[in-house]
Amino acid sequence: MVVLQSQDEQPPPSGSVGRGTSQQYGSNLSQHSGGPQHFSSNGNISAVNTSLHYEPQDYTETDFLLPNQLYDRSRFSGSVSAKDAGDAGAPAESVCSMVLQILVPFLLAGLGTVSAGVLLEVVQNWVVFQEVAELFILVTAILGMKGNLEMTLASRLSTAVNAGKMEHAREKWMLIIGNLALKQLQATVLGLLASLMATVLGWIVEGEMPLHHVMLLVSTSVSTAFVASFLQGIIMVGVIIGSKRMGFNPDNVATPMAASFGDLITLALLACFSRWFYSLIDLYPHVLYLVVLLLLCLTPLWVVISSKHPASCILLRTGWEPIITAMFISSIGGLILDKTVSDPNLAGLIVYAPVINGIGGNLVSIQSSRISTKLHLNYSPGEVPEDRKGCFSPCRTFFGSGANHRSAQILLLLVIPGQLVFLLTIHLMKGGTTLPSPLLTVAFLSASLIQVFSLLCLADCIVHCLWRRGKDPDSYSIPYLTALGDLLGTGLLSLAFVMLWYIGDSGSV
């Protein structure tokens, strides 16, 4: 491939790899000391001022991280294509380093989802959850929002770090502020849509929906989504910056850390808001309307802030399809959960649902983020590796010599020991007087293994398909995958519990 160059642009020196090269391509392309032309972020050549200057506004978060003309440039030399260098450009990792970087956030995320499951088992007996059963539909949709928003933000910023786009303070904070403002806007809109979806599904199933229940769902959903998104967004930015300074690969750390205590925080806020609004619904119903109106009135502010930053301006127009679709998929999973736990014999399912959904989503988000980073650094938009051009095969996900093949193997191997630890933790947190029965253990582990295996295969397929179609997988893949994880995990878990109930297993010994 012939690569156009400006007169002062030189090929990278032999042996330059990793962040330094990514930084040179991702950031320094806009710095010139006399050349008449440079590449814009969409690959076009445009005239520039001959004086030294820096133009971070040329790059947007939905643009691919490198100009099209440079995707096939070698990370090692000017004559060897990066796509022939395997994982060139990606951070070098040993298996031990990869395991350690994945394991700690995985365990933290698991403890967060276990705590959320135990909390959900407690709050399901509250009066508000008994009176407004549609809250269970809302739980899955709101908890799934971390995959729609926090994990997507983590994946985008992780790729930006690995591509060297956060080396300059001004560009870094433009990315962060624009994305946080956009995330608040998306959280508000998704919270409103999730409540309306729960209302419609509840009305279809029950045949009626009182107005005060609708307002309770709307006010609870919007308030929870707004506050949880704000808190978790700040935490997420801290994790990204911290992992960068400590030399960790943020692809391994950021997405599971985004969910480490996200489920617990979100569920706690949802329970508190629903209980508070339920106490006001008869005496001060206008409070519910005022809260919703106030949060909706803030949306123009988030639009203005995010539109002023190139990092989020395009996402403001194009980033809605995956998160809204994912929210609908998660709501269907919530409906399955609602109908299953309505049977007293299956009510114990509820403590395990956040665990299997959260762990599956955390593991697949790591793999999705890693594959996306590799594509950004080594392939031009629309171009995929040779072994991904034919029919999809699950064997290609797990068998191979690449770093992402190893990570898929590691993530799948973590399922059984990890879920055993979390299963025991659940019973210890519930008093420790009983142990899970062998049949419950086998059923839960089987459901988890099938879910994660399916999600890792789907991640390999979906990310490459999105890239082939010219869509940035950082913004599209994780919402779809985590929502499918919620639906698949809830469905498999419900099936497992129905089978246990049918054969008379109580779940404990």
Side-chain angles (χ1 to χ4, degrees):
M1 174 179 292
V2 178
V3 180
L4 299 175
Q5 291 179 274
S6 62
Q7 64 184 25
D8 59 342
E9 180 186 342
Q10 300 298 326
S14 176
S16 62
V17 298
R19 180 178 299 174
T21 305
S22 299
Q23 176 182 349
Q24 175 187 356
Y25 290 159
S27 300
N28 293 350
L29 283 170
S30 57
Q31 301 183 27
H32 297 265
S33 56
Q37 296 176 327
H38 79 97
F39 291 113
S40 66
S41 63
N42 60 5
N44 296 327
I45 301 176
S46 59
V48 297
N49 194 318
T50 57
S51 62
L52 180 64
H53 63 286
Y54 173 61
E55 298 178 343
Q57 66 271 18
D58 283 348
Y59 301 92
T60 66
E61 192 56 49
T62 51
D63 285 340
F64 294 100
L65 293 179
L66 304 177
N68 292 346
Q69 288 88 342
L70 296 181
Y71 270 98
D72 287 332
R73 294 282 297 272
S74 171
R75 297 291 191 273
F76 298 97
S77 68
S79 60
V80 181
S81 172
K83 61 188 176 186
D84 298 327
D87 292 332
E93 300 171 279
S94 66
V95 173
C96 182
S97 173
M98 188 185 300
V99 170
L100 290 177
Q101 290 184 35
I102 291 174
L103 184 60
V104 174
F106 169 72
L107 292 175
L108 289 176
L111 292 176
T113 56
V114 166
S115 302
V118 174
L119 176 60
L120 185 57
E121 187 180 37
V122 173
V123 302
Q124 71 171 328
N125 297 315
W126 288 7
V127 175
V128 61
F129 280 82
Q130 295 294 320
E131 292 291 328
V132 189
E134 291 74 20
L135 282 171
F136 288 110
I137 302 176
L138 200 59
V139 164
T140 304
I142 294 296
L143 292 185
M145 201 173 292
K146 73 178 186 299
N148 300 348
L149 302 181
E150 275 73 28
M151 288 185 176
T152 303
L153 172 67
S155 180
R156 289 200 302 264
L157 294 185
S158 296
T159 299
V161 167
N162 284 327
K165 291 193 66 183
M166 295 181 69
E167 299 296 331
H168 299 274
R170 182 186 175 192
E171 185 177 15
K172 175 176 70 176
W173 290 111
M174 287 177 70
L175 281 169
I176 291 172
I177 293 173
N179 274 278
L180 289 181
L182 175 66
K183 197 161 76 69
Q184 289 304 112
L185 172 65
Q186 291 175 331
T188 305
V189 174
L190 284 184
L192 179 61
L193 292 178
S195 63
L196 297 178
M197 184 68 178
T199 299
V200 171
L201 291 176
W203 176 76
I204 292 174
V205 173
E206 302 294 336
E208 61 178 359
M209 179 60 64
L211 179 60
H212 60 282
H213 284 189
V214 175
M215 280 311 303
L216 177 67
L217 289 172
V218 172
S219 55
T220 298
S221 181
V222 174
S223 301
T224 301
F226 183 90
V227 177
S229 177
F230 178 76
L231 294 176
Q232 294 176 62
I234 294 176
I235 295 173
M236 200 61 264
V237 170
V239 170
I240 293 287
I241 295 176
S243 62
K244 176 177 178 292
R245 289 181 178 176
M246 296 177 68
F248 296 149
N249 181 359
D251 281 322
N252 295 335
V253 177
T255 49
M257 287 298 291
S260 58
F261 296 103
D263 285 341
L264 183 60
I265 292 173
T266 303
L267 183 58
L269 288 171
L270 187 145
C272 291
F273 277 124
S274 63
R275 193 172 190 175
W276 179 49
F277 290 136
Y278 185 75
S279 67
L280 299 175
I281 201 168
D282 292 326
L283 298 176
Y284 307 102
H286 59 277
V287 173
L288 281 66
Y289 293 89
L290 290 175
V291 169
V292 174
L293 183 62
L294 174 62
L295 296 181
L296 291 179
C297 285
L298 289 175
T299 54
L301 174 63
W302 308 131
V303 171
V304 170
I305 295 176
S306 58
S307 64
K308 288 184 178 295
H309 295 80
S312 53
C313 185
I314 296 181
L315 272 177
L316 188 62
R317 303 189 304 270
T318 64
W320 296 95
E321 175 193 334
I323 59 176
I324 292 177
T325 304
M327 186 270 297
F328 281 111
I329 297 174
S330 294
S331 297
I332 297 173
L335 181 60
I336 296 174
L337 179 65
D338 177 35
K339 299 310 295 180
T340 304
V341 300
S342 62
D343 187 335
N345 297 310
L346 302 175
L349 160 73
I350 201 165
V351 71
Y352 301 99
V355 179
I356 190 171
N357 293 342
I359 298 305
N362 296 342
L363 293 178
V364 74
S365 66
I366 295 173
Q367 186 70 358
S368 174
S369 185
R370 292 177 60 90
I371 297 173
S372 178
T373 294
K374 177 184 176 180
L375 291 173
H376 274 293
L377 294 178
N378 293 296
Y379 296 90
S380 59
E383 181 183 12
V384 295
E386 288 294 331
D387 61 348
R388 294 300 187 271
K389 291 182 179 179
C391 296
F392 174 75
S393 171
C395 295
R396 289 197 302 238
T397 301
F398 299 96
F399 298 102
S401 59
N404 289 338
H405 293 100
R406 292 193 298 272
S407 65
Q409 297 164 7
I410 291 170
L411 293 172
L412 189 63
L413 290 174
L414 283 176
V415 175
I416 299 296
Q419 293 290 37
L420 281 173
V421 171
F422 302 141
L423 195 62
L424 181 60
T425 303
I426 289 173
H427 284 262
L428 290 176
M429 294 179 70
K430 293 172 65 176
T433 57
T434 62
L435 288 175
S437 69
L439 286 178
L440 171 64
T441 303
V442 171
F444 182 71
L445 294 180
S446 299
S448 299
L449 196 61
I450 294 171
Q451 179 209 34
V452 174
F453 177 85
S454 302
L455 288 176
L456 290 175
C457 293
L458 285 171
D460 196 14
C461 180
I462 289 175
V463 171
H464 286 99
C465 285
L466 288 170
W467 185 265
R468 185 185 292 113
R469 295 181 180 183
K471 294 184 177 181
D472 188 353
D474 279 324
S475 299
Y476 280 81
S477 61
I478 289 182
Y480 291 134
L481 291 168
T482 54
L484 290 171
D486 290 343
L487 181 59
L488 188 60
T490 303
L492 289 170
L493 194 59
S494 299
L495 178 62
F497 265 68
V498 169
M499 293 173 62
L500 290 175
W501 170 77
Y502 183 75
I503 62 178
D505 189 279
S506 64
S508 349
V509 292

